[in-house]
Amino acid sequence: MSEQLEKRAAGAGRPASGTAGAEQLRKDALALDAEDALASARELFTLDEGVYLDGNSLGALPRQVPLRMADVIGREWGELRIRSWDESGWWTAPERIGDRIAPLVGAAPGQIVVGDSTSVNVFKALVGAVRLADAGQGPGGAPGAGDGSVRDEIVVDVSTFPTDGYIAQSAARLTGRRLVPVEPGDVPAAVGPRTAAVLVNHVDFRTGRLHDLPGITAAVRAAGAISVWDLCHSAGALPVGLDAHGVDLAVGCTYKYLNGGPGAPAYLYVAARHQAGFDSPLPGWNSHADPFGMTPGYAPADGAARGRVGTPDILSMLALESALDVWDGVSIDAVRAKSLALTDFFLECVRAYVPEGLVTSLTPEEHGQRGSQVALRCADAPAVMKELIARGVVGDLRRPDVLRFGFTPLYVGFADAERAARVLAEVLADVPAAPTR
C-alpha cells in the first residue's frame, strides 16, 4: 500500500473524471486493497455484501462475540450463577477490560475503568475535575491565581456533542461555576487563573475535524486547570497518547470504532497522578474500599476502581471484552495510516464522480486535522442518505444537511470507498438537489 499511496500523495496518475477516470479509480482501489496489511481483519467481522460506513455510530459485530455470549449466558449465568462474580471474573471485569483499552488510547495499565454510559462518565469526570482544581491538584498546585481569585469557570467546546454540553451546564450549576463555551482552537487563549476545568471533544462528531489534543492539553496545564477529553470519535481510529500528552481525565464510548455493541459500556480514564484525589460525584458501593462491608460511611477504593458506581452491566461488558480480541496484534499507527488513506481516496473518488456543487466536504483536507470520517454537506440530505442505504451503502445523517461516512480501517477497504462514492453520484443524479453553498 505504501508505494501506491506515495504516488497518490505526489499527485501522480490522478485520474480525470468520466469513464476512463472511473476505471482507473477501480483499478487503484483493487491495488490498494491488495497491499493492505489490515485487509485480513475484515474476516473477523460479520458483514454483508454492502458497504458499511457507519462504524462511527455503531461498529460491526466481531464474529467471535456470539459464541462468547452463549457461554456467558448458558454456563456462567445459567450454571455458575452468582459464583461467576468470582470464578468467572465478573467482579474484576471493569478494570481488566480497561487495561485492554488502555494501549489503544496511549495509557498505562491501571488508569481506565469500564462501566456506565459516556454521559455518566462525562459527569463524573467534569465534576471530579472541578473538585481536583478546588483541592489545588491542578498543575499549578493552587486553587486560583494566588491573588484571592478562585477557579470559577468551566470552559467547554462550543461544538461539542450535545449531551456533553448539557452535562457541562448541569455540572456548572452543581459546582457554582460559570460555563464558558469557546471554539476548540480558541481554548489556549480562553484559559487562565479562573479556569477550573476544560471539556473538549477530540474529534468533532459532525465534521470529523480532529482537534489539537497535545496543544490544548498543554495550554490547560499551563493555566493550572484540569483537562477532560471526550474520545468517542477517536479511540480505535487514531493514536491518542493520553499519558504522553499529560491528559488529566478522559471518557469514551466503546460501541463505535471499538465495536463493543449497541449500548456497550463506556470508560473513564483518571491519570495515575490524580487517582488519590479523584472525588467522584457518584460514590456508589462498587467504588467503596470495602464494597461488601456495607458500611454507612463512604471510603473510596484505591486506583481506577474509584471511578466505578453501581453493579457492572456484565452481559454487555463481557461482549465488549470479547469484541476487543480483534485488536490483538494490531498497531494503532497502522490503523491511522489506513484511515487517512481511505478518507483521502474517498474524497478523491467523490471529486471524480460527483458533479461540482452538489456536495461540499466539511472534513479538513489536512491529515493533522482529520479524524476517521468524511462529512459532506448536501441539499436534501435525508432523502439522499435514505436512498444510499437502500442501494447498500450505509452511512448516517446529521440534520439538516450533513451526510456522514465513517471509515473503520479494520473492515472497510478501498473498493468500499470507491463504490460508496460511485453510488453517491448515482443517487444524486436520481434525487435532484439544489447546489450546496
Side-chain angles (χ1 to χ4, degrees):
M1 185 170 68
S2 59
E3 182 180 349
Q4 290 284 333
L5 291 178
E6 287 174 5
K7 290 180 179 179
R8 305 184 78 81
R14 287 183 180 269
S17 60
T19 304
E23 182 179 353
Q24 184 60 53
L25 284 171
R26 285 193 286 272
K27 289 181 178 178
D28 287 351
L30 293 175
L32 289 165
D33 281 335
E35 295 182 14
D36 177 16
L38 295 176
S40 61
R42 184 185 181 99
E43 298 304 315
L44 302 176
F45 295 87
T46 301
L47 295 162
D48 55 28
E49 295 302 313
V51 178
Y52 188 65
L53 300 181
D54 207 6
N56 54 332
S57 285
L58 177 64
L61 171 67
R63 289 185 183 276
Q64 76 276 10
V65 172
L67 287 176
R68 172 63 177 132
M69 294 314 296
D71 183 61
V72 170
I73 293 171
R75 182 180 64 85
E76 294 184 7
W77 180 13
E79 298 176 14
L80 295 178
R81 293 179 286 276
I82 200 166
R83 290 162 54 195
S84 279
W85 285 104
D86 291 323
E87 295 180 26
S88 301
W90 287 3
W91 183 260
T92 58
E95 292 78 32
R96 182 177 72 245
I97 302 171
D99 283 348
R100 294 196 64 184
I101 293 171
L104 301 177
V105 292
Q111 299 178 98
I112 293 179
V113 63
V114 175
D116 307 309
S117 67
T118 307
S119 301
V120 172
N121 281 309
V122 169
F123 178 75
K124 287 187 284 188
L126 195 52
V127 175
V130 172
R131 291 177 175 179
L132 285 170
D134 281 350
Q137 294 194 38
D147 58 0
S149 65
V150 295
R151 294 189 177 274
D152 59 356
E153 295 179 347
I154 296 174
V155 173
V156 64
D157 168 2
V158 73
S159 60
T160 188
F161 188 78
T163 291
D164 289 23
Y166 307 153
I167 290 171
Q169 293 170 18
S170 179
R173 293 196 305 272
L174 180 69
T175 60
R177 263 58 181 183
R178 182 173 73 93
L179 199 63
V180 182
V182 301
E183 293 289 345
D186 295 335
V187 168
V191 295
R194 298 183 64 173
T195 308
V198 178
L199 172 63
V200 186
N201 282 237
H202 195 191
V203 174
D204 187 294
F205 77 102
R206 291 185 186 87
T207 67
R209 178 178 289 276
L210 173 66
H211 298 306
D212 180 12
L213 183 146
I216 292 173
T217 301
V220 173
R221 183 169 60 248
I226 302 293
S227 59
V228 181
W229 284 91
D230 183 327
L231 309 179
C232 285
H233 288 269
S234 59
L238 52 92
V240 177
L242 293 178
D243 287 352
H245 300 305
V247 169
D248 298 306
L249 305 169
V251 303
C253 68
T254 62
Y255 46 79
K256 294 181 172 46
Y257 297 108
L258 298 183
N259 311 296
Y267 56 91
L268 170 67
Y269 164 88
V270 181
R273 63 187 177 279
H274 290 309
Q275 289 179 0
F278 182 72
D279 181 8
S280 173
L282 296 173
W285 77 281
N286 253 234
S287 64
H288 198 287
D290 183 15
F292 294 98
M294 303 298 173
T295 57
Y298 179 74
D302 292 331
R306 67 172 56 194
R308 294 171 68 152
V309 183
T311 305
D313 40 357
I314 290 299
L315 296 183
S316 58
M317 188 166 294
L318 296 185
L320 165 64
E321 183 173 35
S322 179
L324 291 172
D325 288 349
V326 301
W327 290 95
D328 291 348
V330 173
S331 160
I332 196 65
D333 290 324
V335 168
R336 175 58 168 166
K338 183 178 175 183
S339 165
L340 291 172
L342 279 168
T343 48
D344 276 345
F345 186 65
F346 177 68
L347 286 168
E348 181 178 340
C349 291
V350 168
R351 286 191 292 266
Y353 293 157
V354 177
E356 187 174 354
L358 292 186
V359 297
T360 301
S361 177
L362 303 178
T363 302
E365 291 282 343
E366 299 85 351
H367 285 180
Q369 297 179 24
R370 186 193 309 166
S372 198
Q373 74 177 50
V374 172
L376 301 177
R377 176 163 284 144
C378 171
D380 207 8
V384 171
M385 183 53 70
K386 182 178 180 180
E387 186 59 24
L388 278 170
I389 293 172
R391 299 187 191 191
V393 176
V394 179
D396 73 1
L397 175 74
R398 284 294 175 262
R399 293 196 304 268
D401 59 359
V402 176
L403 306 172
R404 291 198 323 168
F405 302 94
F407 290 82
T408 304
L410 292 186
Y411 55 76
V412 174
F414 293 89
D416 294 324
E418 186 276 332
R419 178 181 168 189
R422 177 163 34 89
V423 174
L424 174 62
E426 293 168 358
V427 169
L428 289 171
D430 295 340
V431 181
T436 60
R437 291 183 295 172

